[in-house]
Amino acid sequence: MKRIVAKEEFCIGCGLCEVYCTVQHSKSKDVIKAYNRENPRPLGRVRLEVNKPVSFAVQCRHCEDAPCVTACLSGAMKKDESTGLVIHDAEKCMGCWTCIMVCPYGAIKMDASGKVVSKCDFCSGLDVPACVANCPNGALVLIEVKP
Amino acid sequence: MAKYVIIGASAAGISAVEAIREVDPVSTITVVSEEPCPSYSRPMISDLVSGKANFEKMLCRDGQFWEKNNVQALTGQRAVSLNLKEKYVVLDNGARVSFEKLLIATGGKPFVPKIEGADKKGVFTFTKLSDAESLAAEIEKAKSAVVVGGGLIGVSLTEALVKRGLKVTIVELQNKILSLILDATASDMVANVMERAGVTIVTGQSVQRILGKPEDERVVGGVVLTNGNSVQCDMVIIAIGVVPRAELVSGTDVKTNRGILVDRFMRTSVPDVYASGDVAEAYDFISGENRLLPLWPLAQLEGRVAGYNMAGKKAEYPGGTAMSALKYFGIPIISIGLVNPKNAEGYEILTRYEPEKRLYKKIVLKDDVIVGILLLNDIERAGVLFNLMKNSVNVKKFKQALLSENFGLATLPSSLRKRLYLE
Ligand SMILES: Cc1cc2nc3c(=O)[nH]c(=O)nc-3n(C[C@H](O)[C@H](O)[C@H](O)COP(=O)(O)OP(=O)(O)OC[C@H]3O[C@@H](n4cnc5c(N)ncnc54)[C@H](O)[C@@H]3O)c2cc1C
Ligand code: SF4
Ligand code: SF4
């Protein structure tokens, strides 16, 4: 199983991870359309945290023993046993914000509708998540972890 | 004879099933559940009333949960007594179910004070699916409702009733709504928004009497408050709160206070008998004492801890504390721990209040350790703060930054960040 790790010593704070994440989760998958035309505006699921000179990207760590899954009021937040990923089912989500309360990384956002949450889905369908693939300085890397 | 018997199939009960199956894939599990339906998200019954959710959305586990986990589910059946010496449970149909390990996960029942006229048609409680269904069936005919209780359940139901077009009066005995989880500033902010949505809020009062309609005495027509004022309405919903359903253990050696007392392994005072969820009084890591905390995330966590221990894998409950997230009336709120200490002495209180943005943040510190977190509207970093609280981190060096807009992991000193976040 793979996990994303942020290397803060390599992060240059450019914010491209947020841009590529947003585009990847847009309808059009096109940067201009995603940022200017889509309504609701697509939401990136990675957050660049900056406290100069420190910066790094934070996205869901797909925790082994995930607090958000244990807390979820509706069963929308689930651990996929085969991939080990923590997957959010927006159809089931009741938008109660309980998972936001317990995520130690602050990695869960309210989605643009304000009715459900949204978080890193490891770019389901891609081999390498968009933020990792497009970080220009190798500050986001994939590591292999034991299942 | 089942190896494991679980009474109650809600948050605590089903979490225990999952934990047992992680450790022990084969032994028999029998679950006794009074509610005949599959397990559902109890907090979502308000969304059922408002029309936002149907039952399918409310299911809190995949269909086939019983089959997948190889559970013998006795649904629609109630446990009526326990024999803990001979280790069996008696059901309402007279059947006996023997156990090696028992989990009591019977949750809570609505607290209903004695009110004259409470037997009239149109009076409801509000804690389970069937309550929501009967309420929803009456809503079409009703124009107005009185909700008794301005806590979390009352406020969630009030929002649902407003969405269905009812004129709602909420009656709260304390001098403010959501008094257990908010302070005065936050409570006022919420009250304002609710009033703008058309809700009438009456505080410092309770319902003394429920009146009938002039044309039919047996049907709800209004209420009389303690101050003598009366309010007309077509339905009354009693949503004051829940009390533990601990009656099964009365007359046994299981020690209780207000709920069933459990240790950090969810064991009761009787060997092989465990309890979890709303029925139990478990450890609160802020007060350092056992306490009733009727909350879904804690019921799930406690159920899991119980399940592991029942199946022989030692697991210690880290403790919970009051922790609520609210979505109602468009104001996201998170309230954790001690947000409104009665006696402010010994506490340091940090606040940020920007009414024009409807923003309010408050952190309560004791000896530079976070013991309370209250956030209105800007809630997304709550979990980072909660993590500092759970780990009793001394925040002296960066406390000014805790309420800032861009507070996050990058705000933490790098040594602390490494300790908390990098294994
Ligand atoms: C409207 C509403 C909104 C809520 N909102 C929130 C929220 O936002 N956040 C939050 O954290 N919590 C919320 N809660 C509280 C949360 O639902 C409870 O903490 C949680 O359901 C407790 O789970 P439990 O498994 O302990 O018990 P319960 O959910 O109460 O379930 C116990 C089950 O056991 C069954 N049972 C009881 N006795 C017997 C018996 N003798 N034999 C067989 N079966 C029996 C009952 O029928 C029931 O199905 C809300 C509750 C309500 C009602
Ligand atoms: S959302 Fe947060 S708590 Fe949940 S798995 Fe991701 S990092 Fe862990
Ligand atoms: S907001 Fe959605 S995913 Fe998060 S706890 Fe509530 S129901 Fe679960």
Side-chain angles (χ1 to χ4, degrees):
Chain A
M1 284 192 300
K2 293 195 161 38
R3 290 288 174 275
I4 301 170
V5 172
K7 304 229 173 256
E8 56 179 84
E9 62 279 23
F10 291 121
C11 178
I12 52 175
C14 65
L16 279 177
C17 48
E18 288 185 346
V19 174
Y20 279 95
C21 180
T22 306
V23 173
Q24 178 62 29
H25 294 96
S26 68
K27 283 200 199 78
S28 60
K29 309 258 192 280
D30 175 279
V31 66
I32 308 284
K33 288 190 190 129
Y35 275 82
N36 292 331
R37 310 229 181 99
E38 283 186 34
N39 192 9
R41 196 171 147 180
L43 187 73
R45 290 127 188 247
V46 55
R47 192 185 328 241
L48 178 71
E49 289 215 13
V50 186
N51 182 17
K52 284 189 175 139
V54 176
S55 68
F56 50 84
V58 178
Q59 62 284 82
C60 165
R61 291 297 192 260
H62 298 277
C63 302
E64 171 75 39
D65 186 3
C68 62
V69 174
T70 306
C72 178
L73 256 50
S74 72
M77 206 63 97
K78 276 187 282 232
K79 184 107 198 166
D80 183 314
E81 269 144 44
S82 56
T83 61
L85 296 177
V86 171
I87 297 302
H88 176 250
D89 177 353
E91 296 286 309
K92 283 212 78 82
C93 178
M94 67 180 287
C96 66
W97 321 134
T98 304
C99 52
I100 289 181
M101 171 166 70
V102 300
C103 172
Y105 291 86
I108 304 176
K109 296 184 178 186
M110 291 175 177
D111 121 324
S113 70
K115 298 199 166 83
V116 293
V117 297
S118 165
K119 71 164 200 61
C120 164
D121 60 354
F122 227 74
C123 289
S124 60
L126 294 187
D127 287 341
V128 179
C131 57
V132 176
N134 292 290
C135 174
N137 207 35
L140 284 168
V141 292
L142 282 185
I143 56 156
E144 192 67 41
V145 294
K146 275 194 251 66
Chain B
M1 166 83 173
K3 169 115 192 233
Y4 309 101
V5 172
I6 298 172
I7 309 176
S10 185
I14 56 177
S15 298
V17 168
E18 290 167 334
I20 291 172
R21 280 293 174 244
E22 269 180 47
V23 183
D24 178 351
V26 292
S27 306
T28 45
I29 305 180
T30 298
V31 173
V32 186
S33 168
E34 184 183 30
E35 291 186 272
C37 53
S39 306
Y40 59 91
S41 166
R42 193 166 305 283
M44 235 196 268
I45 62 175
S46 300
D47 287 357
L48 187 77
V49 171
S50 74
K52 245 183 98 183
N54 54 18
F55 187 65
E56 202 194 330
K57 178 168 177 180
M58 292 171 71
L59 294 173
C60 61
R61 291 297 188 275
D62 294 339
Q64 322 285 298
F65 181 82
W66 303 132
E67 292 81 356
K68 271 193 197 147
N69 288 289
N70 188 18
V71 171
Q72 181 194 26
L74 306 176
T75 52
Q77 299 188 41
R78 192 162 57 91
V80 291
S81 68
L82 305 177
N83 186 322
L84 299 182
K85 299 233 157 50
E86 290 167 43
K87 294 180 108 168
Y88 62 83
V89 178
V90 183
L91 306 186
D92 51 359
N93 60 10
R96 287 181 179 187
V97 186
S98 299
F99 62 83
E100 269 177 47
K101 310 264 177 194
L102 174 68
L103 175 64
I104 302 170
T106 48
K109 57 176 180 238
F111 174 70
V112 184
K114 281 231 156 29
I115 303 176
E116 194 188 320
D119 55 347
K120 292 190 197 302
K121 191 167 166 346
V123 179
F124 300 88
T125 54
F126 194 65
T127 59
K128 53 183 192 292
L129 179 70
S130 58
D131 297 336
E133 287 171 338
S134 17
L135 190 63
E138 292 296 314
I139 281 184
E140 298 293 335
K141 290 173 264 168
K143 290 201 172 59
S144 56
V146 165
V147 172
V148 187
L152 181 91
I153 298 180
V155 169
S156 81
L157 171 64
T158 298
E159 190 201 50
L161 295 174
V162 168
K163 281 196 177 141
R164 295 291 304 266
L166 266 68
K167 175 92 195 70
V168 185
T169 302
I170 186 163
V171 180
E172 166 59 44
L173 184 62
Q174 301 298 319
N175 60 9
K176 59 176 199 266
I177 55 164
L178 296 167
S179 63
L180 286 177
I181 52 180
L182 301 183
D183 67 2
T185 308
S187 179
D188 281 349
M189 289 170 78
V190 178
N192 272 329
V193 175
M194 288 176 70
E195 279 164 353
R196 245 176 283 155
V199 177
T200 306
I201 299 172
V202 178
T203 56
Q205 295 293 318
S206 64
V207 168
Q208 204 172 42
R209 198 148 52 92
I210 298 174
L211 306 170
K213 284 206 193 312
E215 65 276 15
D216 189 347
E217 254 308 301
R218 291 163 304 175
V219 178
V220 170
V223 300
V224 179
L225 306 175
T226 14
N227 63 9
N229 291 353
S230 59
V231 180
Q232 268 193 7
C233 62
D234 302 316
M235 44 172 65
V236 173
I237 306 98
I238 297 170
I240 298 177
V242 292
V243 288
R245 270 185 85 172
E247 58 271 8
L248 272 179
V249 302
S250 65
T252 71
D253 291 338
V254 172
K255 283 212 179 73
T256 58
N257 182 26
R258 286 163 67 204
I260 299 177
L261 288 167
V262 291
D263 66 9
R264 301 282 288 269
F265 305 93
M266 297 297 138
R267 296 178 296 205
T268 68
S269 55
V270 171
D272 298 330
V273 180
Y274 297 72
S276 294
D278 285 9
V279 75
E281 256 180 68
Y283 181 68
D284 177 336
F285 70 86
I286 290 292
S287 69
E289 287 167 1
N290 281 33
R291 162 177 179 206
L292 288 177
L293 288 166
L295 296 165
W296 184 273
L298 298 179
Q300 295 216 113
L301 184 55
E302 292 170 19
R304 249 178 73 206
V305 169
Y308 286 139
N309 287 303
M310 289 164 75
K313 174 178 163 181
K314 196 139 190 148
E316 187 173 3
Y317 181 54
T321 194
M323 48 186 265
S324 302
L326 280 74
K327 61 164 179 166
Y328 303 104
F329 293 96
I331 316 185
I333 302 176
I334 283 177
S335 165
I336 310 173
L338 197 60
V339 297
N340 200 20
K342 277 207 186 66
N343 179 357
E345 213 175 301
Y347 296 99
E348 182 183 359
I349 292 175
L350 313 173
T351 55
R352 183 163 151 209
Y353 179 41
E354 294 169 23
E356 68 291 351
K357 288 192 202 155
R358 273 211 220 133
L359 181 110
Y360 181 51
K361 295 181 169 191
K362 173 176 182 179
I363 288 184
V364 181
L365 301 166
K366 189 167 203 310
D367 305 325
D368 291 320
V369 171
I370 300 176
V371 294
I373 302 165
L374 179 56
L375 305 173
L376 268 74
N377 258 331
D378 181 10
I379 63 166
E380 280 186 355
R381 322 326 307 286
V384 180
L385 293 168
F386 190 23
N387 199 34
L388 296 174
M389 173 170 166
K390 277 196 284 199
N391 287 286
S392 306
V393 170
N394 186 311
V395 298
K396 189 169 184 173
K397 289 211 188 83
F398 54 98
K399 65 180 147 193
Q400 270 64 41
L402 294 174
L403 294 180
S404 73
E405 220 150 300
N406 48 12
F407 169 77
L409 298 186
T411 322
L412 309 178
S414 76
S415 57
L416 174 66
R417 193 161 62 235
K418 294 207 167 93
R419 173 161 75 82
L420 285 181
Y421 289 97
L422 301 170
E423 7 342 61

